[in-house]
Amino acid sequence: MSGYRFYQKASEVYNSRRNLYNLLVITSVSGGGLLAFANNNPARTAYADAAGGAHIRRKKVVVLGTGWAGTSFLKGLKDPSLDVEIVSPRNYFAFTPLLPSVTNGTVEARSIVEPIRNIVRKKQFDVQFREAECYKIDTKNKKVHCKSTQQNNVGGSDEFTVDYDYLVIAMGARSNTFNTPGVVEHTHFLKEIEDAQKIRKTVIDCFEKASLPNISEEERKRILHFVVVGGGPTGVEFAAELHDFVIEDLAKLYPDLKSYVTITLLEAGDHILNMFDKRITQFAEDKFRRDGLDLKVGSMVTKVTDKEICTKERATGKNVSIPYGMVVWSTGIGTRPVVMDFMKQIGQTNRRVLATDEWLRVEGCEDIYALGDCATIDQRKVMEDIASIFTKADKNNTGKLKADDFNEVINDITERYPQVVIHLKKQQVKNFLQLLKNAQGEDELDIEKFKLALSAVDAQMKNLPATAQVAAQQGSYLADCFNRMNDCEKNPEGPLRFRGSGRHRFKAFRYKHLGQFAPLGGEQTAAQLPGDWVSIGHSTQWLWYSVYASKLVSWRTRALVISDWGRRFIFGRDSSKI
């Protein structure tokens, strides 16, 4: 019995100081020469110890996509009580704002990508990555059906399923062709690394083919006619980058072909960069015309063949056929097929993209979140809750209130309905109380006067733009919510539930616009920053360099991109076809 008690006591001491004894054992075995110790899965051990040794099943978060939204979410996620599984056809994150620079060799493709395993390898919880594509979401059984994207035949089944407790859909979007005939078959898109590399190769191919001696003058003009469809930021930046590539580099290597090159930018609207300030739009259009780019606004593409692009001029109704050597299609985004199937499954068939609430939760799905280009926030209207808001403020049930009676709920109103704040700014009203007092007159507010005061508020509602900036902020927000989920269950911090009791767990997502850039070529960039501040010119180009360098995902990519910029300044762009 004494031997058994000694063994029991020794086991207790060992278990209480397991790390120390592991360290002593390793030191003894190595002869004191090399000391090395690693504790496997510290996060799992800590979680079990904190729970008093009891086994608790860890919640599993499945993330679909490694774009801006998904990567931002993964970078911000810190909760050690979670297991994470990532499913994406790409095992890297790409800094997509620099894709136009990849098309002409200003920046190399590998300089703007970071392996997703590098990004998550230091996380204090278990993270698994699967290079595969999700083709079906089963909400009933909480499973995601996936298929491997590996092209080589390595044996085994290509399909598998992944269980989830929480699902984060961050799959992005595809290029929108508007069902225009011939677009998929004959044009280039610019959304992925592979797209930029294909464009770069095609540009060089066009110059090499045009330099052959058996090519006629007419054919040479066609081959060197580059058409960009879409006057948004991506299309404008690519046209500017291509113009710089031709003028600064290719004209020196192919001097006989310079006079044959034409760059045409087609835009269906009245102006390019119509989401920017009018001063930027006007400057960009004037600069492009001075630089010799053929800018055609009010031109809608109706068909694309292997050698011609057909357009309809909106002003005259005339149909025009334009011969081309290469077409780049950049006209916005469309929903991916798997997301469309999922929308049908949950009853969102009448929408263009997935609808979420203000907390990025998919409407009708408790544990599924969607962010980035594949989703949009369905902001609740004030007028839908107007009676409930009035009732919350009317604590005495009198049916009439003074403006000051809303003091207790005013912060919840402005937080729950951001369109109220936008309306106040537009009407140049100091605050919400002042808006009510303006409508109150001499009498107290009844429900009808309250409705009248807020009747125009919902007109200020706008969907967020499908940009990297929005996706990144949504990913960071959702990660913060997951990190504090247990705390906020006990102590909710969100606004009042006007149609129920208590408060929402979290504050709603709010996008903070930090400005936008539009590189216009010739080392000139336009910037529109918060506060209606507009800057255009060479100095803004250096601001663009510094901001984009700081936003890159790692120090490795920062070093590579900055070195690429330096190489271009010294040696020019690389025109080799590799």
Side-chain angles (χ1 to χ4, degrees), residues 509-522:
F509 171 75
R510 292 292 174 262
Y511 169 61
K512 185 178 181 182
H513 185 60
L514 303 176
Q516 51 190 346
F517 290 96
L520 303 174

mmCIF file with all atom_site columns, all heavy atoms in Angstrom, residues 509-522:
data_model
loop_
_atom_site.group_PDB
_atom_site.id
_atom_site.type_symbol
_atom_site.label_atom_id
_atom_site.label_alt_id
_atom_site.label_comp_id
_atom_site.label_asym_id
_atom_site.label_entity_id
_atom_site.label_seq_id
_atom_site.pdbx_PDB_ins_code
_atom_site.Cartn_x
_atom_site.Cartn_y
_atom_site.Cartn_z
_atom_site.occupancy
_atom_site.B_iso_or_equiv
_atom_site.pdbx_formal_charge
_atom_site.auth_seq_id
_atom_site.auth_comp_id
_atom_site.auth_asym_id
_atom_site.auth_atom_id
_atom_site.pdbx_PDB_model_num
ATOM 1   N N   . PHE A 1 509 ? -22.395 46.585 -37.461 1.00 0.00 ? 509 PHE A N   1
ATOM 2   C CA  . PHE A 1 509 ? -21.249 46.961 -38.302 1.00 0.00 ? 509 PHE A CA  1
ATOM 3   C C   . PHE A 1 509 ? -21.462 48.344 -38.903 1.00 0.00 ? 509 PHE A C   1
ATOM 4   O O   . PHE A 1 509 ? -22.537 48.656 -39.409 1.00 0.00 ? 509 PHE A O   1
ATOM 5   C CB  . PHE A 1 509 ? -21.060 45.940 -39.429 1.00 0.00 ? 509 PHE A CB  1
ATOM 6   C CG  . PHE A 1 509 ? -20.044 46.377 -40.455 1.00 0.00 ? 509 PHE A CG  1
ATOM 7   C CD1 . PHE A 1 509 ? -18.690 46.331 -40.170 1.00 0.00 ? 509 PHE A CD1 1
ATOM 8   C CD2 . PHE A 1 509 ? -20.444 46.858 -41.699 1.00 0.00 ? 509 PHE A CD2 1
ATOM 9   C CE1 . PHE A 1 509 ? -17.750 46.746 -41.108 1.00 0.00 ? 509 PHE A CE1 1
ATOM 10  C CE2 . PHE A 1 509 ? -19.515 47.262 -42.636 1.00 0.00 ? 509 PHE A CE2 1
ATOM 11  C CZ  . PHE A 1 509 ? -18.166 47.206 -42.347 1.00 0.00 ? 509 PHE A CZ  1
ATOM 12  N N   . ARG A 1 510 ? -20.428 49.163 -38.840 1.00 0.00 ? 510 ARG A N   1
ATOM 13  C CA  . ARG A 1 510 ? -20.464 50.478 -39.465 1.00 0.00 ? 510 ARG A CA  1
ATOM 14  C C   . ARG A 1 510 ? -19.209 50.653 -40.314 1.00 0.00 ? 510 ARG A C   1
ATOM 15  O O   . ARG A 1 510 ? -18.090 50.528 -39.812 1.00 0.00 ? 510 ARG A O   1
ATOM 16  C CB  . ARG A 1 510 ? -20.536 51.595 -38.406 1.00 0.00 ? 510 ARG A CB  1
ATOM 17  C CG  . ARG A 1 510 ? -21.856 51.621 -37.653 1.00 0.00 ? 510 ARG A CG  1
ATOM 18  C CD  . ARG A 1 510 ? -23.003 52.026 -38.566 1.00 0.00 ? 510 ARG A CD  1
ATOM 19  N NE  . ARG A 1 510 ? -24.294 51.915 -37.887 1.00 0.00 ? 510 ARG A NE  1
ATOM 20  C CZ  . ARG A 1 510 ? -25.123 50.898 -37.998 1.00 0.00 ? 510 ARG A CZ  1
ATOM 21  N NH1 . ARG A 1 510 ? -24.790 49.856 -38.759 1.00 0.00 ? 510 ARG A NH1 1
ATOM 22  N NH2 . ARG A 1 510 ? -26.272 50.882 -37.358 1.00 0.00 ? 510 ARG A NH2 1
ATOM 23  N N   . TYR A 1 511 ? -19.424 50.926 -41.576 1.00 0.00 ? 511 TYR A N   1
ATOM 24  C CA  . TYR A 1 511 ? -18.297 51.128 -42.499 1.00 0.00 ? 511 TYR A CA  1
ATOM 25  C C   . TYR A 1 511 ? -17.746 52.538 -42.356 1.00 0.00 ? 511 TYR A C   1
ATOM 26  O O   . TYR A 1 511 ? -18.507 53.512 -42.317 1.00 0.00 ? 511 TYR A O   1
ATOM 27  C CB  . TYR A 1 511 ? -18.767 50.889 -43.936 1.00 0.00 ? 511 TYR A CB  1
ATOM 28  C CG  . TYR A 1 511 ? -17.781 51.317 -44.986 1.00 0.00 ? 511 TYR A CG  1
ATOM 29  C CD1 . TYR A 1 511 ? -16.509 50.751 -45.055 1.00 0.00 ? 511 TYR A CD1 1
ATOM 30  C CD2 . TYR A 1 511 ? -18.121 52.288 -45.938 1.00 0.00 ? 511 TYR A CD2 1
ATOM 31  C CE1 . TYR A 1 511 ? -15.607 51.136 -46.024 1.00 0.00 ? 511 TYR A CE1 1
ATOM 32  C CE2 . TYR A 1 511 ? -17.225 52.672 -46.913 1.00 0.00 ? 511 TYR A CE2 1
ATOM 33  C CZ  . TYR A 1 511 ? -15.967 52.098 -46.950 1.00 0.00 ? 511 TYR A CZ  1
ATOM 34  O OH  . TYR A 1 511 ? -15.073 52.490 -47.907 1.00 0.00 ? 511 TYR A OH  1
ATOM 35  N N   . LYS A 1 512 ? -16.448 52.632 -42.257 1.00 0.00 ? 512 LYS A N   1
ATOM 36  C CA  . LYS A 1 512 ? -15.778 53.931 -42.180 1.00 0.00 ? 512 LYS A CA  1
ATOM 37  C C   . LYS A 1 512 ? -14.961 54.138 -43.451 1.00 0.00 ? 512 LYS A C   1
ATOM 38  O O   . LYS A 1 512 ? -13.956 53.454 -43.668 1.00 0.00 ? 512 LYS A O   1
ATOM 39  C CB  . LYS A 1 512 ? -14.872 53.994 -40.953 1.00 0.00 ? 512 LYS A CB  1
ATOM 40  C CG  . LYS A 1 512 ? -14.229 55.364 -40.750 1.00 0.00 ? 512 LYS A CG  1
ATOM 41  C CD  . LYS A 1 512 ? -13.373 55.391 -39.497 1.00 0.00 ? 512 LYS A CD  1
ATOM 42  C CE  . LYS A 1 512 ? -12.748 56.768 -39.298 1.00 0.00 ? 512 LYS A CE  1
ATOM 43  N NZ  . LYS A 1 512 ? -11.869 56.792 -38.091 1.00 0.00 ? 512 LYS A NZ  1
ATOM 44  N N   . HIS A 1 513 ? -15.411 55.055 -44.279 1.00 0.00 ? 513 HIS A N   1
ATOM 45  C CA  . HIS A 1 513 ? -14.729 55.289 -45.552 1.00 0.00 ? 513 HIS A CA  1
ATOM 46  C C   . HIS A 1 513 ? -13.430 56.056 -45.315 1.00 0.00 ? 513 HIS A C   1
ATOM 47  O O   . HIS A 1 513 ? -13.432 57.148 -44.745 1.00 0.00 ? 513 HIS A O   1
ATOM 48  C CB  . HIS A 1 513 ? -15.629 56.067 -46.493 1.00 0.00 ? 513 HIS A CB  1
ATOM 49  C CG  . HIS A 1 513 ? -15.056 56.238 -47.868 1.00 0.00 ? 513 HIS A CG  1
ATOM 50  N ND1 . HIS A 1 513 ? -14.736 55.170 -48.675 1.00 0.00 ? 513 HIS A ND1 1
ATOM 51  C CD2 . HIS A 1 513 ? -14.717 57.354 -48.575 1.00 0.00 ? 513 HIS A CD2 1
ATOM 52  C CE1 . HIS A 1 513 ? -14.243 55.618 -49.823 1.00 0.00 ? 513 HIS A CE1 1
ATOM 53  N NE2 . HIS A 1 513 ? -14.225 56.926 -49.780 1.00 0.00 ? 513 HIS A NE2 1
ATOM 54  N N   . LEU A 1 514 ? -12.317 55.472 -45.766 1.00 0.00 ? 514 LEU A N   1
ATOM 55  C CA  . LEU A 1 514 ? -11.004 56.072 -45.551 1.00 0.00 ? 514 LEU A CA  1
ATOM 56  C C   . LEU A 1 514 ? -10.456 56.737 -46.800 1.00 0.00 ? 514 LEU A C   1
ATOM 57  O O   . LEU A 1 514 ? -9.307  57.201 -46.807 1.00 0.00 ? 514 LEU A O   1
ATOM 58  C CB  . LEU A 1 514 ? -10.021 55.001 -45.062 1.00 0.00 ? 514 LEU A CB  1
ATOM 59  C CG  . LEU A 1 514 ? -10.431 54.268 -43.782 1.00 0.00 ? 514 LEU A CG  1
ATOM 60  C CD1 . LEU A 1 514 ? -9.434  53.175 -43.449 1.00 0.00 ? 514 LEU A CD1 1
ATOM 61  C CD2 . LEU A 1 514 ? -10.570 55.248 -42.619 1.00 0.00 ? 514 LEU A CD2 1
ATOM 62  N N   . GLY A 1 515 ? -11.264 56.812 -47.857 1.00 0.00 ? 515 GLY A N   1
ATOM 63  C CA  . GLY A 1 515 ? -10.801 57.445 -49.092 1.00 0.00 ? 515 GLY A CA  1
ATOM 64  C C   . GLY A 1 515 ? -10.564 56.423 -50.182 1.00 0.00 ? 515 GLY A C   1
ATOM 65  O O   . GLY A 1 515 ? -10.584 55.207 -49.952 1.00 0.00 ? 515 GLY A O   1
ATOM 66  N N   . GLN A 1 516 ? -10.319 56.917 -51.401 1.00 0.00 ? 516 GLN A N   1
ATOM 67  C CA  . GLN A 1 516 ? -10.067 56.029 -52.535 1.00 0.00 ? 516 GLN A CA  1
ATOM 68  C C   . GLN A 1 516 ? -9.128  56.701 -53.523 1.00 0.00 ? 516 GLN A C   1
ATOM 69  O O   . GLN A 1 516 ? -9.075  57.933 -53.618 1.00 0.00 ? 516 GLN A O   1
ATOM 70  C CB  . GLN A 1 516 ? -11.380 55.657 -53.225 1.00 0.00 ? 516 GLN A CB  1
ATOM 71  C CG  . GLN A 1 516 ? -12.263 56.827 -53.597 1.00 0.00 ? 516 GLN A CG  1
ATOM 72  C CD  . GLN A 1 516 ? -13.639 56.400 -54.045 1.00 0.00 ? 516 GLN A CD  1
ATOM 73  O OE1 . GLN A 1 516 ? -13.895 55.239 -54.328 1.00 0.00 ? 516 GLN A OE1 1
ATOM 74  N NE2 . GLN A 1 516 ? -14.569 57.346 -54.126 1.00 0.00 ? 516 GLN A NE2 1
ATOM 75  N N   . PHE A 1 517 ? -8.364  55.863 -54.218 1.00 0.00 ? 517 PHE A N   1
ATOM 76  C CA  . PHE A 1 517 ? -7.373  56.342 -55.177 1.00 0.00 ? 517 PHE A CA  1
ATOM 77  C C   . PHE A 1 517 ? -7.766  55.935 -56.597 1.00 0.00 ? 517 PHE A C   1
ATOM 78  O O   . PHE A 1 517 ? -8.449  54.933 -56.805 1.00 0.00 ? 517 PHE A O   1
ATOM 79  C CB  . PHE A 1 517 ? -5.997  55.754 -54.876 1.00 0.00 ? 517 PHE A CB  1
ATOM 80  C CG  . PHE A 1 517 ? -5.356  56.286 -53.627 1.00 0.00 ? 517 PHE A CG  1
ATOM 81  C CD1 . PHE A 1 517 ? -5.457  55.612 -52.429 1.00 0.00 ? 517 PHE A CD1 1
ATOM 82  C CD2 . PHE A 1 517 ? -4.631  57.472 -53.659 1.00 0.00 ? 517 PHE A CD2 1
ATOM 83  C CE1 . PHE A 1 517 ? -4.864  56.096 -51.280 1.00 0.00 ? 517 PHE A CE1 1
ATOM 84  C CE2 . PHE A 1 517 ? -4.026  57.966 -52.527 1.00 0.00 ? 517 PHE A CE2 1
ATOM 85  C CZ  . PHE A 1 517 ? -4.143  57.279 -51.330 1.00 0.00 ? 517 PHE A CZ  1
ATOM 86  N N   . ALA A 1 518 ? -7.291  56.716 -57.552 1.00 0.00 ? 518 ALA A N   1
ATOM 87  C CA  . ALA A 1 518 ? -7.459  56.387 -58.969 1.00 0.00 ? 518 ALA A CA  1
ATOM 88  C C   . ALA A 1 518 ? -6.167  56.735 -59.699 1.00 0.00 ? 518 ALA A C   1
ATOM 89  O O   . ALA A 1 518 ? -5.979  57.890 -60.122 1.00 0.00 ? 518 ALA A O   1
ATOM 90  C CB  . ALA A 1 518 ? -8.633  57.150 -59.572 1.00 0.00 ? 518 ALA A CB  1
ATOM 91  N N   . PRO A 1 519 ? -5.219  55.779 -59.841 1.00 0.00 ? 519 PRO A N   1
ATOM 92  C CA  . PRO A 1 519 ? -4.000  56.033 -60.604 1.00 0.00 ? 519 PRO A CA  1
ATOM 93  C C   . PRO A 1 519 ? -4.336  56.308 -62.064 1.00 0.00 ? 519 PRO A C   1
ATOM 94  O O   . PRO A 1 519 ? -5.089  55.565 -62.690 1.00 0.00 ? 519 PRO A O   1
ATOM 95  C CB  . PRO A 1 519 ? -3.206  54.730 -60.450 1.00 0.00 ? 519 PRO A CB  1
ATOM 96  C CG  . PRO A 1 519 ? -3.763  54.091 -59.217 1.00 0.00 ? 519 PRO A CG  1
ATOM 97  C CD  . PRO A 1 519 ? -5.215  54.457 -59.197 1.00 0.00 ? 519 PRO A CD  1
ATOM 98  N N   . LEU A 1 520 ? -3.757  57.383 -62.627 1.00 0.00 ? 520 LEU A N   1
ATOM 99  C CA  . LEU A 1 520 ? -4.111  57.826 -63.973 1.00 0.00 ? 520 LEU A CA  1
ATOM 100 C C   . LEU A 1 520 ? -2.942  57.756 -64.941 1.00 0.00 ? 520 LEU A C   1
ATOM 101 O O   . LEU A 1 520 ? -3.055  58.233 -66.074 1.00 0.00 ? 520 LEU A O   1
ATOM 102 C CB  . LEU A 1 520 ? -4.643  59.262 -63.916 1.00 0.00 ? 520 LEU A CB  1
ATOM 103 C CG  . LEU A 1 520 ? -5.856  59.472 -62.989 1.00 0.00 ? 520 LEU A CG  1
ATOM 104 C CD1 . LEU A 1 520 ? -6.211  60.952 -62.899 1.00 0.00 ? 520 LEU A CD1 1
ATOM 105 C CD2 . LEU A 1 520 ? -7.048  58.674 -63.481 1.00 0.00 ? 520 LEU A CD2 1
ATOM 106 N N   . GLY A 1 521 ? -1.824  57.159 -64.511 1.00 0.00 ? 521 GLY A N   1
ATOM 107 C CA  . GLY A 1 521 ? -0.677  57.024 -65.394 1.00 0.00 ? 521 GLY A CA  1
ATOM 108 C C   . GLY A 1 521 ? 0.216   58.249 -65.375 1.00 0.00 ? 521 GLY A C   1
ATOM 109 O O   . GLY A 1 521 ? -0.175  59.327 -64.911 1.00 0.00 ? 521 GLY A O   1
ATOM 110 N N   . GLY A 1 522 ? 1.417   58.077 -65.928 1.00 0.00 ? 522 GLY A N   1
ATOM 111 C CA  . GLY A 1 522 ? 2.352   59.194 -65.969 1.00 0.00 ? 522 GLY A CA  1
ATOM 112 C C   . GLY A 1 522 ? 2.749   59.668 -64.592 1.00 0.00 ? 522 GLY A C   1
ATOM 113 O O   . GLY A 1 522 ? 3.022   60.860 -64.385 1.00 0.00 ? 522 GLY A O   1
#
